[in-house]
Amino acid sequence: MNVIKIKDRQELDRKVPLMPWYVDKFIQFKLPDLSPSSLLEYVRDYDTFFSYLLAEGLAEGPALKDIKLEELERLHMDSIDAFRMFLMTRVEHNNKRVSVTRKLSSLRSLFHYLSQIAEDENFYPLLKRNVMAKVSIKRTHKPKDTAAKLEGKLLQEEEISAFLAYVSHDYEHDVATNKQALYSYQLNRVRDTCIISLILHSGLRVSEVVNLNVDDIDLKKKLTYVFRKGKNDDTFKTPVYFRQDAVDELASYLQIRDTSYNAPKREKAFFLAIANGKKEGSRMTKRAIQEMVIKYAKRFGKPYLSVHKLRHSFATDYYLRNDIYKTQEQLGHASPETTQIYAHLTDRTMAEAIDHNS
């Protein structure tokens, strides 16, 4: 099982006992089909909902695990609408619709299971009345809409090279007067360049980068083996190719990995960092990689860049040179519908290129 899934499974095991018994039953039902990471998102959403019920006096409690099925049956649509408004006021603006939709979908799944699938000892549904069946949830993941949001926020072909050059060399000039930033950059320059180059030349997800081990990289074949999102078979890794452009950065990082990060012999992680107060390097975290990319992006003059937008930048460029099915396979999308966003993005890119060259 990969590193992130192990951590998520551990957190899932800590959180589920704090939930009502019927949530535990639902999680056990879903466990064969969904990853620990997905189930943990469900449980976090239920934590928010049940905490809301207690705060509003819609359930007696006193703890989350004490909320009864009968209290769910007595919920009115007004209460669900109020919960929706509560969510709209507490999630960050940019992800408001997506986040609210996901939380309501999590509740729909739980209520559906309790009212349509789970049974008591007399073969009656556990939940007699399902208020969530009345809730309309608007889907927000339309490829065309996603493409519209990404327009102008990705690196084009020439910008990919410029951003890599900035991370590899030019950033040093911008922080020359900041001794702490300069020291950090000189220590991590090769590693940071390698990470960003690998994403921009392969389209790997940040979780896939975090989980990379030294043995996963094959420079001669220009591929790496990764655990793909959505695949529950943690004994099988998928080969993902990277471009020749990333080979030099990977080779350079491998040369300094052990010495620069005082890597213990037992440490298998490919990308390392030395945490404060520690003497030996350990696996970089997802958050550390995300913050690292944002740091360079802001100085580069593109503060909207993120790890995921680097992946989108690769995917758009890759799609221009290949077809939708090759792009789907390279990115590890479960459905070609997800990959359709690059069709919409490249339509605009090709139109601009024609005007530019005329």
Side-chain angles (χ1 to χ4, degrees):
M1 188 177 287
N2 70 50
V3 175
I4 293 178
K5 282 188 178 180
I6 290 173
K7 290 182 178 179
D8 286 347
R9 181 58 195 259
Q10 291 171 344
E11 186 175 352
L12 183 68
D13 290 341
R14 287 195 299 270
K15 283 184 170 292
V16 168
L18 304 177
M19 295 284 109
W21 63 270
Y22 45 84
V23 171
D24 185 10
K25 193 175 178 68
F26 171 74
I27 296 299
Q28 296 305 318
F29 173 74
K30 286 288 189 180
L31 198 54
D33 301 317
L34 295 177
S35 70
S37 303
S38 297
L39 292 172
L40 181 59
E41 289 299 319
Y42 273 112
V43 172
R44 286 172 176 162
D45 292 340
Y46 301 150
D47 186 296
T48 301
F49 178 65
F50 291 137
S51 296
Y52 174 82
L53 294 184
L54 292 177
E56 295 297 315
L58 297 171
E60 293 183 5
L64 299 183
K65 64 180 180 180
D66 299 318
I67 295 177
K68 301 178 179 63
L69 283 167
E70 292 79 7
E71 292 171 315
L72 301 186
E73 290 175 339
R74 291 196 294 266
L75 289 174
H76 292 279
M77 272 301 298
D78 288 348
S79 300
I80 303 302
D81 289 338
F83 177 63
R84 191 199 298 263
M85 292 304 299
F86 164 75
L87 293 176
M88 294 290 286
T89 61
R90 73 187 295 270
V91 297
E92 54 184 280
H93 179 72
N94 290 338
N95 296 320
K96 188 171 290 186
R97 285 186 63 194
V98 175
S99 180
V100 171
T101 296
R102 196 203 71 234
K103 291 180 187 300
L104 292 176
S105 294
S106 296
L107 285 177
R108 279 272 293 263
S109 296
L110 175 64
F111 277 61
H112 174 78
Y113 166 76
L114 295 174
S115 63
Q116 300 296 321
I117 299 173
E119 299 175 335
D120 62 18
E121 63 275 9
N122 296 315
F123 308 107
Y124 288 106
L126 289 181
L127 195 69
K128 309 299 187 294
R129 176 178 169 274
N130 179 6
V131 67
M132 289 303 300
K134 302 178 181 181
V135 176
S136 174
I137 298 177
K138 294 181 180 178
R139 300 296 172 186
T140 57
H141 295 290
K142 291 183 179 179
K144 191 173 182 179
D145 295 339
T146 304
K149 291 179 181 179
L150 290 173
E151 260 184 35
K153 296 182 179 179
L154 305 181
L155 295 174
Q156 303 301 321
E157 186 176 2
E158 65 280 0
E159 291 176 322
I160 289 175
S161 300
F163 185 53
L164 281 169
Y166 180 80
V167 175
S168 181
H169 303 291
D170 301 339
Y171 178 81
E172 185 171 13
H173 303 302
D174 285 352
V175 296
T177 58
N178 186 328
K179 290 184 178 180
Q180 185 175 354
L182 186 61
Y183 172 78
S184 175
Y185 174 69
Q186 290 171 342
L187 173 65
N188 298 311
R189 178 183 67 83
V190 175
R191 182 202 66 189
D192 294 354
T193 303
C194 183
I195 292 172
I196 291 173
S197 177
L198 181 60
I199 297 170
L200 283 171
H201 293 304
S202 69
L204 288 179
R205 298 178 176 91
V206 64
S207 59
E208 293 164 352
V209 174
V210 169
N211 282 305
L212 283 179
N213 291 332
V214 174
D215 294 341
D216 294 332
I217 305 288
D218 189 329
L219 292 181
K220 290 183 179 179
K221 293 182 178 178
K222 294 185 294 186
L223 62 80
T224 182
Y225 295 91
V226 301
F227 289 111
R228 275 303 193 191
K229 178 182 177 183
K231 292 190 176 181
N232 290 324
D233 183 0
D234 292 323
T235 62
F236 177 75
K237 288 188 175 184
T238 303
V240 178
Y241 288 89
F242 48 81
R243 288 172 172 164
Q244 178 65 40
D245 297 17
V247 172
D248 289 343
E249 280 83 4
L250 286 162
S252 297
Y253 171 70
L254 274 172
Q255 289 180 343
I256 61 96
R257 173 190 176 274
D258 293 352
T259 54
S260 293
Y261 296 96
N262 194 21
K265 289 184 179 180
R266 66 184 182 278
E267 182 56 74
K268 298 179 180 179
F270 189 74
F271 290 114
L272 302 177
I274 300 178
N276 290 334
K278 302 289 184 180
K279 295 182 179 180
E280 295 182 331
S282 58
R283 190 181 299 271
M284 282 190 79
T285 64
K286 180 178 176 180
R287 185 178 184 86
I289 293 177
Q290 290 170 328
E291 290 179 347
M292 178 267 289
V293 170
I294 291 170
K295 175 184 73 174
Y296 290 118
K298 285 182 177 178
R299 287 278 190 172
F300 185 65
K302 292 189 177 291
Y304 45 77
L305 272 182
S306 62
V307 177
H308 206 58
K309 287 189 175 68
L310 295 184
R311 172 173 154 88
H312 283 313
S313 297
F314 164 82
T316 304
D317 182 66
Y318 187 88
Y319 181 80
L320 277 169
R321 305 164 194 266
N322 297 278
D323 59 38
I324 192 169
Y325 299 106
K326 286 182 180 177
T327 307
Q328 177 190 351
E329 184 177 356
Q330 177 70 23
L331 297 176
H333 288 158
S335 166
E337 183 180 346
T338 308
T339 319
Q340 283 287 346
I341 65 171
Y342 306 112
H344 295 291
L345 280 167
T346 52
D347 283 347
R348 177 63 61 88
T349 301
M350 293 173 76
E352 290 175 348
I354 290 173
D355 290 335
H356 180 73
N357 293 329
S358 59

